[in-house]
Amino acid sequence: MNPRGISMDIAIIGAGLGGLAAAVALQHHGHRPVIFDKTRELGEVGGPLGISPQTLRLFGEWGIVDGFDEISSATQYFENRDQLGQLEKITDYAATPEAGAEHGRFGYADSDLAPRTVHRADLHGLLVSAVGPEQVRLRHELSGITERDDHVELTFADGEVVRAGLVIAADGLRSRARKMFSDDDIHYCGSVIFRAVSPAECLAIPNDRLRSWHSADYAKHVISMPVRAGRQVAVDATLGVDEPPLHLWSARADLQALAGQFDEFDPVVGQMLRAATGPVYMHPVYDRDPIDRWTTARVALLGDAAHPMTPFGGQGANQAIQDAAELATQIAAAPNGDYTEALQRYQRVRTERTAEIQRAARGYADRRARVSLRLADILVR
Protein backbone atom coordinates (compact mmCIF):
# COMPACT_ATOMS: atom_id res chain seq x y z
CA MET A 1 0.00 0.00 0.00
CA ASN A 2 1.40 3.41 -0.90
CA PRO A 3 1.59 6.40 1.52
CA ARG A 4 -1.94 7.56 0.67
CA GLY A 5 -3.36 4.21 1.76
CA ILE A 6 -4.46 3.24 -1.72
CA SER A 7 -4.35 -0.49 -2.45
CA MET A 8 -4.43 -0.03 -6.22
CA ASP A 9 -4.71 2.68 -8.83
CA ILE A 10 -7.76 1.36 -10.67
CA ALA A 11 -10.39 -1.14 -9.51
CA ILE A 12 -13.08 -2.54 -11.80
CA ILE A 13 -16.31 -3.95 -10.38
CA GLY A 14 -17.70 -6.68 -12.60
CA ALA A 15 -15.98 -9.30 -14.76
CA GLY A 16 -18.49 -9.25 -17.59
CA LEU A 17 -17.64 -8.16 -21.10
CA GLY A 18 -17.59 -4.46 -20.22
CA GLY A 19 -15.35 -4.82 -17.17
CA LEU A 20 -12.95 -7.15 -18.95
CA ALA A 21 -12.82 -4.89 -22.02
CA ALA A 22 -12.01 -1.93 -19.75
CA ALA A 23 -9.14 -3.91 -18.25
CA VAL A 24 -7.79 -4.88 -21.68
CA ALA A 25 -8.03 -1.28 -22.92
CA LEU A 26 -6.33 0.09 -19.78
CA GLN A 27 -3.56 -2.49 -20.02
CA HIS A 28 -3.02 -1.34 -23.59
CA HIS A 29 -2.27 2.10 -22.10
CA GLY A 30 0.08 0.73 -19.44
CA HIS A 31 -2.26 0.37 -16.45
CA ARG A 32 -2.79 -2.77 -14.36
CA PRO A 33 -6.35 -2.64 -13.06
CA VAL A 34 -7.75 -5.28 -10.73
CA ILE A 35 -11.22 -6.73 -11.41
CA PHE A 36 -13.60 -7.82 -8.64
CA ASP A 37 -16.63 -10.04 -9.28
CA LYS A 38 -19.14 -11.71 -6.99
CA THR A 39 -19.31 -14.99 -8.90
CA ARG A 40 -17.56 -18.11 -7.63
CA GLU A 41 -16.25 -19.06 -11.05
CA LEU A 42 -16.22 -17.65 -14.53
CA GLY A 43 -18.31 -19.86 -16.79
CA GLU A 44 -20.55 -20.02 -19.84
CA VAL A 45 -23.50 -17.65 -19.66
CA GLY A 46 -25.50 -15.67 -22.18
CA GLY A 47 -25.99 -16.30 -25.85
CA PRO A 48 -24.86 -15.15 -29.29
CA LEU A 49 -23.58 -11.67 -30.03
CA GLY A 50 -23.17 -9.62 -33.17
CA ILE A 51 -19.93 -7.65 -33.11
CA SER A 52 -19.81 -4.50 -35.22
CA PRO A 53 -16.88 -3.38 -37.38
CA GLN A 54 -16.14 -0.50 -35.01
CA THR A 55 -15.71 -2.95 -32.14
CA LEU A 56 -13.64 -5.28 -34.32
CA ARG A 57 -11.22 -2.44 -35.01
CA LEU A 58 -10.80 -1.96 -31.27
CA PHE A 59 -9.90 -5.64 -30.97
CA GLY A 60 -7.24 -5.00 -33.61
CA GLU A 61 -5.80 -2.11 -31.59
CA TRP A 62 -5.71 -4.28 -28.48
CA GLY A 63 -3.98 -7.17 -30.24
CA ILE A 64 -6.78 -9.74 -29.80
CA VAL A 65 -8.43 -9.73 -33.22
CA ASP A 66 -6.65 -12.87 -34.47
CA GLY A 67 -7.84 -14.84 -31.47
CA PHE A 68 -11.31 -13.43 -31.95
CA ASP A 69 -11.42 -14.44 -35.62
CA GLU A 70 -10.72 -18.05 -34.60
CA ILE A 71 -13.83 -18.26 -32.41
CA SER A 72 -16.25 -16.20 -34.51
CA SER A 73 -17.84 -16.06 -37.96
CA ALA A 74 -17.95 -13.29 -40.54
CA THR A 75 -21.58 -12.46 -41.29
CA GLN A 76 -21.96 -10.09 -44.21
CA TYR A 77 -25.66 -10.84 -44.75
CA PHE A 78 -28.85 -10.76 -42.68
CA GLU A 79 -31.97 -12.49 -44.02
CA ASN A 80 -35.40 -11.43 -42.75
CA ARG A 81 -38.20 -13.97 -43.27
CA ASP A 82 -41.84 -14.26 -42.26
CA GLN A 83 -42.87 -17.14 -40.04
CA LEU A 84 -43.37 -19.51 -42.98
CA GLY A 85 -39.85 -18.83 -44.22
CA GLN A 86 -40.76 -16.52 -47.08
CA LEU A 87 -37.80 -14.20 -47.69
CA GLU A 88 -38.71 -10.55 -47.11
CA LYS A 89 -35.35 -8.81 -47.24
CA ILE A 90 -31.62 -9.44 -47.41
CA THR A 91 -29.36 -6.85 -45.82
CA ASP A 92 -25.81 -6.64 -47.18
CA TYR A 93 -23.69 -4.98 -44.52
CA ALA A 94 -21.06 -4.09 -47.13
CA ALA A 95 -23.53 -1.97 -49.11
CA THR A 96 -24.19 1.69 -48.42
CA PRO A 97 -27.25 1.74 -46.13
CA GLU A 98 -30.38 3.61 -46.98
CA ALA A 99 -31.12 6.68 -44.88
CA GLY A 100 -32.35 5.61 -41.44
CA ALA A 101 -31.59 1.93 -41.98
CA GLU A 102 -31.01 0.06 -38.72
CA HIS A 103 -27.67 -1.45 -39.69
CA GLY A 104 -26.29 1.96 -40.65
CA ARG A 105 -27.66 3.58 -37.53
CA PHE A 106 -26.14 0.94 -35.26
CA GLY A 107 -22.72 0.73 -36.89
CA TYR A 108 -22.94 -2.61 -38.69
CA ALA A 109 -22.67 -1.21 -42.22
CA ASP A 110 -19.07 -1.19 -43.43
CA SER A 111 -17.71 -1.67 -46.94
CA ASP A 112 -14.31 -2.91 -45.72
CA LEU A 113 -15.06 -5.12 -42.74
CA ALA A 114 -17.96 -7.52 -42.16
CA PRO A 115 -19.56 -7.87 -38.72
CA ARG A 116 -18.87 -11.12 -36.91
CA THR A 117 -20.96 -13.32 -34.66
CA VAL A 118 -19.69 -15.10 -31.56
CA HIS A 119 -20.99 -16.85 -28.47
CA ARG A 120 -20.71 -14.57 -25.47
CA ALA A 121 -18.91 -17.26 -23.46
CA ASP A 122 -16.18 -17.55 -26.10
CA LEU A 123 -15.59 -13.79 -26.22
CA HIS A 124 -15.62 -13.71 -22.42
CA GLY A 125 -12.95 -16.42 -22.30
CA LEU A 126 -10.80 -14.54 -24.83
CA LEU A 127 -10.97 -11.36 -22.75
CA VAL A 128 -10.15 -13.21 -19.52
CA SER A 129 -7.05 -14.65 -21.21
CA ALA A 130 -6.04 -11.21 -22.49
CA VAL A 131 -6.42 -9.62 -19.05
CA GLY A 132 -4.78 -12.47 -17.19
CA PRO A 133 -6.80 -14.56 -14.71
CA GLU A 134 -4.53 -13.33 -11.90
CA GLN A 135 -6.04 -9.86 -12.30
CA VAL A 136 -9.56 -11.14 -11.56
CA ARG A 137 -10.62 -11.62 -7.93
CA LEU A 138 -13.73 -13.76 -7.61
CA ARG A 139 -16.14 -14.14 -4.66
CA HIS A 140 -16.05 -10.39 -4.05
CA GLU A 141 -19.62 -9.12 -3.77
CA LEU A 142 -19.73 -5.36 -3.46
CA SER A 143 -21.74 -4.19 -0.45
CA GLY A 144 -20.68 -0.55 -0.21
CA ILE A 145 -18.88 2.19 -2.08
CA THR A 146 -17.68 5.43 -0.47
CA GLU A 147 -15.89 8.19 -2.32
CA ARG A 148 -13.24 10.19 -0.43
CA ASP A 149 -11.24 13.20 -1.56
CA ASP A 150 -8.23 11.14 -2.64
CA HIS A 151 -9.59 7.59 -3.06
CA VAL A 152 -12.66 5.37 -3.25
CA GLU A 153 -13.35 2.82 -0.54
CA LEU A 154 -14.92 -0.47 -1.62
CA THR A 155 -16.48 -2.73 1.00
CA PHE A 156 -17.24 -6.33 0.14
CA ALA A 157 -19.77 -8.72 1.66
CA ASP A 158 -17.08 -10.66 3.53
CA GLY A 159 -15.89 -7.47 5.26
CA GLU A 160 -12.81 -6.86 3.11
CA VAL A 161 -12.13 -3.19 2.35
CA VAL A 162 -10.17 -2.09 -0.71
CA ARG A 163 -9.06 1.44 -1.54
CA ALA A 164 -8.54 2.55 -5.13
CA GLY A 165 -7.68 5.81 -6.82
CA LEU A 166 -10.37 5.20 -9.46
CA VAL A 167 -13.32 2.79 -9.64
CA ILE A 168 -14.97 1.63 -12.85
CA ALA A 169 -18.36 0.12 -12.07
CA ALA A 170 -19.27 -2.43 -14.73
CA ASP A 171 -21.55 -4.40 -12.44
CA GLY A 172 -24.41 -4.87 -14.85
CA LEU A 173 -28.15 -4.43 -14.96
CA ARG A 174 -28.58 -4.55 -11.17
CA SER A 175 -25.57 -2.33 -10.50
CA ARG A 176 -25.04 -1.36 -6.87
CA ALA A 177 -22.81 1.53 -7.91
CA ARG A 178 -25.58 3.02 -10.08
CA LYS A 179 -27.42 3.91 -6.86
CA MET A 180 -24.89 6.75 -6.50
CA PHE A 181 -26.50 8.35 -9.55
CA SER A 182 -30.11 7.17 -9.72
CA ASP A 183 -32.79 5.43 -7.67
CA ASP A 184 -34.52 4.04 -10.76
CA ASP A 185 -35.54 0.41 -11.11
CA ILE A 186 -35.20 -2.09 -13.92
CA HIS A 187 -38.01 -2.19 -16.48
CA TYR A 188 -39.42 -5.50 -17.80
CA CYS A 189 -40.04 -5.06 -21.51
CA GLY A 190 -42.63 -7.83 -21.88
CA SER A 191 -40.53 -10.42 -23.71
CA VAL A 192 -38.40 -13.42 -22.78
CA ILE A 193 -35.57 -14.74 -24.95
CA PHE A 194 -35.00 -18.50 -25.00
CA ARG A 195 -31.40 -19.28 -25.97
CA ALA A 196 -30.28 -22.53 -27.57
CA VAL A 197 -27.12 -23.72 -29.28
CA SER A 198 -27.34 -26.54 -31.84
CA PRO A 199 -25.01 -28.32 -34.29
CA ALA A 200 -24.78 -26.60 -37.65
CA GLU A 201 -25.75 -29.92 -39.24
CA CYS A 202 -29.37 -29.37 -38.15
CA LEU A 203 -29.61 -26.75 -40.91
CA ALA A 204 -30.24 -27.77 -44.50
CA ILE A 205 -28.68 -24.47 -45.62
CA PRO A 206 -25.22 -22.92 -45.10
CA ASN A 207 -24.59 -21.56 -41.60
CA ASP A 208 -22.97 -18.39 -42.92
CA ARG A 209 -25.29 -15.50 -42.04
CA LEU A 210 -27.84 -14.10 -39.63
CA ARG A 211 -31.42 -15.14 -40.24
CA SER A 212 -34.68 -14.14 -38.61
CA TRP A 213 -38.29 -15.33 -38.69
CA HIS A 214 -41.24 -13.46 -37.20
CA SER A 215 -44.99 -13.78 -36.74
CA ALA A 216 -47.12 -11.06 -38.27
CA ASP A 217 -47.51 -9.27 -34.92
CA TYR A 218 -43.87 -9.90 -33.83
CA ALA A 219 -45.05 -11.57 -30.60
CA LYS A 220 -42.95 -14.53 -31.77
CA HIS A 221 -39.53 -13.91 -33.24
CA VAL A 222 -36.48 -16.07 -33.89
CA ILE A 223 -32.96 -15.13 -34.89
CA SER A 224 -30.15 -17.55 -35.71
CA MET A 225 -26.48 -16.89 -36.20
CA PRO A 226 -23.31 -18.94 -36.65
CA VAL A 227 -21.04 -19.33 -33.62
CA ARG A 228 -17.83 -21.21 -32.87
CA ALA A 229 -16.45 -20.58 -36.34
CA GLY A 230 -19.65 -21.89 -37.92
CA ARG A 231 -19.63 -25.30 -36.24
CA GLN A 232 -22.75 -24.43 -34.27
CA VAL A 233 -25.82 -22.29 -34.77
CA ALA A 234 -27.10 -20.17 -31.89
CA VAL A 235 -30.82 -19.52 -31.71
CA ASP A 236 -32.60 -16.73 -29.84
CA ALA A 237 -36.34 -17.38 -29.74
CA THR A 238 -38.30 -14.43 -28.36
CA LEU A 239 -41.84 -14.67 -27.04
CA GLY A 240 -44.16 -12.17 -25.41
CA VAL A 241 -44.58 -13.57 -21.88
CA ASP A 242 -46.99 -12.31 -19.23
CA GLU A 243 -44.35 -12.11 -16.47
CA PRO A 244 -40.59 -12.57 -16.17
CA PRO A 245 -39.12 -15.66 -14.46
CA LEU A 246 -38.16 -15.05 -10.85
CA HIS A 247 -34.51 -15.98 -11.33
CA LEU A 248 -32.99 -13.55 -13.76
CA TRP A 249 -30.67 -15.77 -15.81
CA SER A 250 -31.15 -19.35 -14.62
CA ALA A 251 -34.78 -20.31 -15.31
CA ARG A 252 -34.91 -23.32 -17.64
CA ALA A 253 -37.46 -23.77 -20.39
CA ASP A 254 -39.21 -26.98 -21.31
CA LEU A 255 -37.64 -27.59 -24.72
CA GLN A 256 -40.58 -29.43 -26.23
CA ALA A 257 -43.07 -26.83 -24.99
CA LEU A 258 -40.85 -24.10 -26.43
CA ALA A 259 -40.47 -25.79 -29.82
CA GLY A 260 -44.22 -26.32 -29.89
CA GLN A 261 -44.71 -22.55 -29.78
CA PHE A 262 -43.15 -22.46 -33.25
CA ASP A 263 -44.96 -25.40 -34.88
CA GLU A 264 -46.59 -22.99 -37.35
CA PHE A 265 -43.21 -21.55 -38.37
CA ASP A 266 -40.79 -22.61 -41.08
CA PRO A 267 -39.83 -26.21 -40.09
CA VAL A 268 -36.16 -25.23 -39.78
CA VAL A 269 -37.01 -23.21 -36.65
CA GLY A 270 -38.29 -26.27 -34.81
CA GLN A 271 -35.36 -28.33 -36.10
CA MET A 272 -32.85 -25.89 -34.63
CA LEU A 273 -34.61 -25.71 -31.26
CA ARG A 274 -35.11 -29.47 -30.88
CA ALA A 275 -31.44 -30.08 -31.77
CA ALA A 276 -30.19 -28.01 -28.81
CA THR A 277 -27.12 -29.61 -27.25
CA GLY A 278 -27.81 -28.38 -23.73
CA PRO A 279 -30.46 -26.80 -21.50
CA VAL A 280 -32.38 -23.84 -22.89
CA TYR A 281 -32.39 -20.93 -20.45
CA MET A 282 -34.84 -18.06 -20.27
CA HIS A 283 -33.54 -14.49 -20.42
CA PRO A 284 -36.19 -11.88 -19.61
CA VAL A 285 -35.67 -8.61 -21.46
CA TYR A 286 -35.04 -5.67 -19.16
CA ASP A 287 -33.68 -2.17 -19.56
CA ARG A 288 -33.63 1.15 -17.69
CA ASP A 289 -34.31 4.72 -18.72
CA PRO A 290 -31.27 6.75 -19.85
CA ILE A 291 -29.59 8.89 -17.19
CA ASP A 292 -27.50 12.01 -17.83
CA ARG A 293 -24.81 11.50 -15.21
CA TRP A 294 -22.53 8.46 -14.93
CA THR A 295 -19.41 9.83 -13.25
CA THR A 296 -18.10 11.54 -10.13
CA ALA A 297 -14.51 12.64 -9.52
CA ARG A 298 -13.34 9.03 -9.03
CA VAL A 299 -16.18 6.69 -10.05
CA ALA A 300 -17.44 5.88 -13.57
CA LEU A 301 -20.26 3.62 -14.67
CA LEU A 302 -19.76 1.48 -17.78
CA GLY A 303 -21.88 -0.81 -19.93
CA ASP A 304 -25.15 -2.10 -18.48
CA ALA A 305 -24.48 -0.31 -15.20
CA ALA A 306 -24.69 2.96 -17.15
CA HIS A 307 -27.08 2.22 -20.03
CA PRO A 308 -28.77 -1.20 -19.96
CA MET A 309 -30.59 -1.74 -23.24
CA THR A 310 -32.64 -4.47 -24.83
CA PRO A 311 -30.71 -6.78 -27.18
CA PHE A 312 -32.87 -6.10 -30.21
CA GLY A 313 -30.48 -3.59 -31.74
CA GLY A 314 -27.52 -5.92 -31.23
CA GLN A 315 -25.69 -3.22 -29.31
CA GLY A 316 -25.36 -4.09 -25.61
CA ALA A 317 -21.94 -5.72 -25.86
CA ASN A 318 -20.72 -3.35 -28.56
CA GLN A 319 -21.57 -0.25 -26.54
CA ALA A 320 -19.98 -1.63 -23.37
CA ILE A 321 -16.76 -2.38 -25.26
CA GLN A 322 -16.81 1.04 -26.91
CA ASP A 323 -17.37 2.61 -23.47
CA ALA A 324 -14.26 0.78 -22.30
CA ALA A 325 -12.16 2.09 -25.18
CA GLU A 326 -13.27 5.69 -24.71
CA LEU A 327 -12.80 5.61 -20.95
CA ALA A 328 -9.31 4.12 -21.23
CA THR A 329 -8.34 6.73 -23.83
CA GLN A 330 -9.49 9.58 -21.59
CA ILE A 331 -7.75 8.13 -18.52
CA ALA A 332 -4.52 7.73 -20.47
CA ALA A 333 -4.67 11.39 -21.47
CA ALA A 334 -5.29 12.61 -17.90
CA PRO A 335 -2.34 14.66 -16.60
CA ASN A 336 -0.76 13.36 -13.37
CA GLY A 337 -3.60 10.98 -12.61
CA ASP A 338 -6.21 13.76 -12.50
CA TYR A 339 -9.20 11.61 -13.28
CA THR A 340 -12.03 14.10 -12.77
CA GLU A 341 -11.86 15.82 -16.13
CA ALA A 342 -11.10 12.52 -17.89
CA LEU A 343 -14.28 10.98 -16.53
CA GLN A 344 -16.32 14.02 -17.48
CA ARG A 345 -15.00 13.86 -21.05
CA TYR A 346 -15.87 10.16 -21.21
CA GLN A 347 -19.38 10.94 -20.01
CA ARG A 348 -19.88 13.72 -22.57
CA VAL A 349 -18.76 11.52 -25.44
CA ARG A 350 -20.78 8.45 -24.53
CA THR A 351 -24.08 9.54 -22.96
CA GLU A 352 -25.75 11.00 -26.04
CA ARG A 353 -24.83 8.09 -28.27
CA THR A 354 -25.94 5.38 -25.86
CA ALA A 355 -29.18 7.15 -24.88
CA GLU A 356 -30.23 7.19 -28.53
CA ILE A 357 -29.56 3.47 -28.84
CA GLN A 358 -31.36 2.69 -25.55
CA ARG A 359 -34.49 4.44 -26.78
CA ALA A 360 -34.39 2.74 -30.18
CA ALA A 361 -33.80 -0.69 -28.66
CA ARG A 362 -36.76 -0.22 -26.31
CA GLY A 363 -38.89 0.67 -29.31
CA TYR A 364 -37.98 -2.65 -30.93
CA ALA A 365 -38.82 -4.43 -27.67
CA ASP A 366 -42.22 -2.75 -27.49
CA ARG A 367 -43.00 -4.14 -30.94
CA ARG A 368 -42.39 -7.66 -29.59
CA ALA A 369 -44.16 -7.30 -26.23
CA ARG A 370 -47.57 -8.70 -27.16
CA VAL A 371 -48.27 -11.59 -24.80
CA SER A 372 -48.25 -14.95 -26.60
CA LEU A 373 -48.12 -17.32 -23.58
CA ARG A 374 -48.02 -17.58 -19.81
CA LEU A 375 -44.73 -18.13 -18.03
CA ALA A 376 -46.17 -21.17 -16.26
CA ASP A 377 -46.72 -22.93 -19.59
CA ILE A 378 -43.06 -23.10 -20.49
CA LEU A 379 -41.03 -23.41 -17.26
CA VAL A 380 -39.32 -26.70 -16.45
CA ARG A 381 -41.13 -28.09 -13.40
Side-chain angles (χ1 to χ4, degrees):
M1 187 177 292
N2 68 26
R4 292 190 300 164
I6 298 178
S7 306
M8 59 197 65
D9 288 334
I10 302 175
I12 298 173
I13 306 300
L17 297 182
L20 290 167
V24 172
L26 287 164
Q27 287 179 348
H28 182 68
H29 290 288
H31 295 278
R32 293 288 291 172
V34 177
I35 305 175
F36 298 89
D37 196 278
K38 65 183 179 182
T39 191
R40 292 179 175 272
E41 60 181 349
L42 299 174
E44 178 162 342
V45 293
L49 301 171
I51 302 299
S52 70
Q54 182 177 349
T55 303
L56 292 174
R57 290 187 173 92
L58 293 175
F59 291 168
E61 292 176 16
W62 298 341
I64 61 172
V65 73
D66 289 342
F68 182 76
D69 286 352
E70 292 177 1
I71 58 173
S72 62
S73 299
T75 46
Q76 182 178 333
Y77 301 101
F78 191 144
E79 294 182 355
N80 292 88
R81 297 175 178 271
D82 67 14
Q83 72 178 55
L84 299 179
Q86 183 66 38
L87 183 64
E88 296 179 331
K89 181 180 179 182
I90 297 179
T91 298
D92 180 353
Y93 290 126
T96 301
E98 299 174 2
E102 290 180 14
H103 64 294
R105 185 180 185 186
F106 290 148
Y108 280 91
D110 194 296
S111 60
D112 298 320
L113 187 61
R116 299 186 73 89
T117 52
V118 67
H119 196 286
R120 182 191 182 281
D122 297 337
L123 175 55
H124 190 268
L126 178 68
L127 293 174
V128 170
S129 296
V131 169
E134 69 281 359
Q135 296 302 112
V136 183
R137 300 184 185 179
L138 303 179
R139 304 186 182 190
H140 278 73
E141 182 175 358
L142 185 69
S143 61
I145 180 168
T146 305
E147 188 169 8
R148 310 292 188 188
D149 288 342
D150 61 352
H151 69 275
V152 180
E153 199 167 86
L154 301 173
T155 304
F156 295 95
D158 63 357
E160 182 180 355
V161 177
V162 170
R163 296 175 179 86
L166 171 67
V167 170
I168 299 171
D171 50 341
L173 175 71
R174 298 185 183 273
S175 168
R176 179 174 290 272
R178 185 183 173 101
K179 296 182 185 300
M180 298 175 64
F181 304 91
S182 174
D183 61 359
D184 66 339
D185 202 356
I186 60 174
H187 166 250
Y188 175 54
C189 296
S191 297
V192 173
I193 300 175
F194 301 80
R195 289 188 160 136
V197 178
S198 302
E201 290 75 21
C202 73
L203 292 170
I205 48 180
N207 186 31
D208 62 353
R209 63 193 59 198
L210 295 103
R211 295 183 173 93
S212 72
W213 297 258
H214 66 87
S215 60
D217 62 359
Y218 279 87
K220 298 182 179 183
H221 180 269
V222 177
I223 185 169
S224 71
M225 60 186 79
V227 295
R228 290 166 182 152
R231 296 187 300 275
Q232 294 180 321
V233 57
V235 186
D236 276 7
T238 303
L239 295 170
V241 178
D242 59 348
E243 60 177 309
L246 179 63
H247 301 291
L248 189 58
W249 304 123
S250 59
R252 283 182 57 182
D254 180 308
L255 181 57
Q256 294 308 313
L258 172 63
Q261 289 292 320
F262 295 93
D263 280 346
E264 297 180 358
F265 271 60
D266 183 346
V268 72
V269 172
Q271 291 168 17
M272 290 189 295
L273 290 172
R274 290 186 171 91
T277 56
V280 175
Y281 289 101
M282 304 170 66
H283 297 256
V285 178
Y286 289 97
D287 68 0
R288 292 183 190 257
D289 292 330
I291 55 176
D292 296 327
R293 183 168 169 261
W294 299 351
T295 64
T296 64
R298 294 182 176 273
V299 177
L301 302 182
L302 183 148
D304 281 352
H307 47 73
M309 58 188 66
T310 78
F312 299 123
Q315 282 297 304
N318 285 290
Q319 294 307 310
I321 293 166
Q322 291 168 32
D323 283 352
E326 183 64 36
L327 181 54
T329 296
Q330 297 298 346
I331 289 170
N336 302 317
D338 181 8
Y339 296 129
T340 303
E341 181 58 31
L343 299 192
Q344 289 176 350
R345 287 195 299 269
Y346 156 71
Q347 178 178 276
R348 285 195 297 271
V349 169
R350 296 297 299 157
T351 49
E352 183 176 351
R353 170 64 170 160
T354 55
E356 176 193 3
I357 294 173
Q358 275 181 283
R359 286 188 286 265
R362 178 177 287 185
Y364 300 141
D366 290 344
R367 189 169 64 172
R368 294 171 166 83
R370 297 171 180 84
V371 173
S372 59
L373 80 162
R374 298 180 306 130
L375 176 66
D377 293 336
I378 204 138
L379 275 173
V380 169
R381 303 186 191 283

